[in-house]
Amino acid sequence: MDRTSISRRCFIGQARDTAVVTLAAAAAAPAVAQTSGKAAARGRPMPDGVTLPSAPPRSPRPGSVGYAVVGLGDYALNQMMPRFARTERSHIAALVSGNPEKLRRVGDAYGVPADARYSYAQFDRIAADRRIDAVYIVLPSGLHADHAVSAFAAGKHVLCEKPMALTSADCERMIAAGQRANRRLMIAYRVHFEPHNIEAMALMRRRAVGNIRAVRTEQLSRTDPSSRPAENWRIDRALAGGGPLEDFGIYGLQAALYLTDEMPESITAATYQPANDPRFAQVFASVASQLRFPSGAIAQLMTSYDSSGSNIAHVRGDTGALIMDPATGYTGHRMRLEGRERRDIALGDPTVQFPRELDHFSGAIRDGSPIRTPGEMGLRDVWLMEAIYAAARTGTMVRLSPDGRMRG
Ligand code: NAD
């Protein structure tokens, strides 16, 4: 596993430092410099820290949805795949990887039959595999769109990791492909299934802090100084877009929307891309944005690959505050309500978010139920990220339509 992933894990877990980031060159932020142009799926070594199951999983229950997991990286192997064991109606039916040895080891450990293990070059063959109902795309973000379109062409449903894609055009291509195939599409925004975040949404809806005036989010971590794009897709523009905003900053953006329950009407932003730092030859080191909502609430979002770790969402209303720190990680959530109602809120194990996310999509496939985090939500967020970059590039306030598209 590359070292960026290690620092991400620290961030995602228990990051508690509050970072102060100076956006010295923000006003004159350059556009992303260049791309490496090598956005193709390829095999990677087994990530660090993987514990493979010691016994094969139980047999799937009748009606369980069979998933092909595409991309055997850190998040798939360390977070999602082990959580299938806690689902009610989801199981791993197939694997897709570019590393034959990793495919063999992981396939053996998860009891995936040898003829349900595919390379990227064999991806289209999943069409004929009746064991596969859905494809779970856990590839670098620049590879999501093409694989989703191919999965729909193969007649499968698609659960796609965030960000949905790197451009709104790609998101629209994915949605159209799903509609053509009459298959479901969900973006894997796990926080919508995490108890603290769900409770935070409910508290804000019943005005536990009064009228929301200010939201502040920070999703920060530090990329290892030795990182090079060839070794680390997260700093390769073709695979990662602008960098931290698409990676974990998207959770701060999401939080601002689901906590206010509003869409912003305008955005201002600043980016910072230092010269002579190989980590940031292609992606931004930091992205800060300010969103103004029709109610008058203002959100300030900060995300960085070059800062000590932080993962917070704070909401201040006219009668109280909600402090989430850490806010959107895998586990270890802490939440405090201040003001008229004053209490710490602990809601049990946040890792239920993983199996609940999987079973939510399986339920949508089997029962035709609505999807809480559909492709349209992923597209909305990519529109907003495009607006953030446009605001930073032009140094002007960007006005938005209610759906998140830039006006004019
Ligand atoms: P990773 O680098 O650990 O794994 C990526 C995997 O993709 C590699 O192991 C490899 O098997 C495969 N791959 C195929 N082509 C590749 C290429 N050209 N370069 C590099 N890898 C290639 O990354 P990750 O942390 O597992 O992230 C994968 C996806 O999951 C990303 O879209 C990321 O945004 C998303 N993710 C989501 C969350 C979340 O909280 N929902 C957390 C982490 C990652």
Side-chain angles (χ1 to χ4, degrees), residues 154-178:
K156 308 302 179 185
H157 304 276
V158 173
L159 174 63
C160 181
E161 264 310 326
K162 44 57 50 182
M164 178 173 176
L166 298 180
T167 66
S168 53
D170 269 350
C171 295
E172 286 169 327
R173 195 158 63 87
M174 292 163 73
I175 291 171

Side-chain angles (χ1 to χ4, degrees), residues 77 113 287:
L77 285 164
V287 182

Side-chain angles (χ1 to χ4, degrees), residues 21-374:
V21 176
T22 306
L23 294 179
V32 172
Q34 54 186 231
T35 70
S36 65
K38 55 174 172 17
R42 62 190 170 94
R44 300 287 296 153
M46 181 77 89
D48 287 345
V50 174
T51 306
L52 293 173
S54 50
R58 57 172 157 70
S59 302
R61 298 195 170 99
S64 175
V65 169
Y67 286 79
V69 179
V70 185
L72 303 179
D74 177 53
Y75 189 65
L77 285 164
N78 284 319
Q79 301 303 329
M80 290 299 280
M81 289 177 63
R83 267 60 185 246
F84 274 86
R86 288 165 59 188
T87 62
E88 300 288 326
R89 51 196 315 196
S90 315
H91 65 277
I92 298 172
L95 300 173
V96 182
S97 167
N99 177 330
E101 172 59 13
K102 185 170 66 173
L103 190 57
R104 185 191 62 73
R105 281 184 61 197
V106 175
D108 287 353
Y110 278 93
V112 175
D115 66 351
R117 303 175 193 174
Y118 299 90
S119 68
Y120 294 118
Q122 298 168 328
F123 186 72
D124 291 343
R125 291 196 203 162
I126 64 170
D129 192 332
R130 305 280 307 265
R131 296 165 292 191
I132 303 171
D133 301 294
V135 165
Y136 172 41
I137 299 174
V138 215
L139 293 166
S141 310
L143 302 175
H144 291 180
D146 285 350
H147 285 81
V149 169
S150 298
F152 284 133
K156 308 302 179 185
H157 304 276
V158 173
L159 174 63
C160 181
E161 264 310 326
K162 44 57 50 182
M164 178 173 176
L166 298 180
T167 66
S168 53
D170 269 350
C171 295
E172 286 169 327
R173 195 158 63 87
M174 292 163 73
I175 291 171
Q179 286 168 347
R180 266 198 312 277
N182 195 24
R183 293 290 178 269
R184 312 294 305 267
L185 169 61
M186 173 166 150
I187 310 306
Y189 285 130
R190 58 181 167 69
V191 284
H192 290 261
F193 306 91
E194 192 285 310
H196 297 80
N197 280 274
I198 292 172
E199 175 65 6
M201 295 176 210
L203 288 168
M204 296 305 97
R205 300 297 173 276
R206 68 169 178 79
R207 299 161 78 88
V209 300
N211 298 302
I212 295 175
R213 299 298 187 224
V215 177
R216 185 162 67 87
T217 66
E218 288 176 4
Q219 276 65 43
L220 313 173
S221 77
R222 185 143 202 279
T223 297
D224 186 273
S226 67
S227 283
R228 297 284 183 283
E231 298 133 31
N232 180 357
W233 69 264
R234 282 192 161 82
I235 58 169
D236 178 334
R237 188 182 188 249
L239 293 169
L245 179 61
E246 285 86 340
D247 190 3
F248 41 52
I250 196 169
Y251 277 121
L253 175 63
Q254 276 259 318
L257 305 190
Y258 60 68
L259 293 170
T260 58
D261 200 22
E262 283 192 273
M263 283 294 288
E265 58 185 12
S266 64
I267 290 182
T268 54
T271 51
Y272 178 52
Q273 188 175 14
N276 305 322
D277 186 332
R279 295 173 299 163
F280 305 117
Q282 298 185 20
V283 302
F284 295 112
S286 303
V287 182
S289 52
Q290 187 163 282
L291 281 54
R292 196 183 69 207
F293 294 91
S295 66
I298 292 178
Q300 292 190 311
L301 320 181
M302 180 69 206
T303 185
S304 178
Y305 270 167
D306 199 24
S307 163
S308 66
S310 175
N311 175 9
I312 65 166
H314 292 185
V315 186
R316 297 221 159 251
D318 51 10
T319 63
L322 181 73
I323 311 295
M324 303 173 73
D325 180 5
T328 62
Y330 301 154
T331 190
H333 295 62
R334 287 153 60 121
M335 197 156 92
R336 193 173 73 250
L337 199 54
E338 296 178 348
R340 278 194 308 235
E341 298 178 50
R342 197 177 189 83
R343 60 195 154 92
D344 289 329
I345 300 169
L347 294 168
D349 179 10
T351 66
V352 295
Q353 63 187 311
F354 302 103
R356 285 184 185 169
E357 171 193 316
L358 289 164
D359 274 346
H360 179 78
F361 191 47
S362 298
I365 291 169
R366 289 287 181 249
D367 311 335
S369 46
I371 293 175
R372 212 177 284 173
T373 57

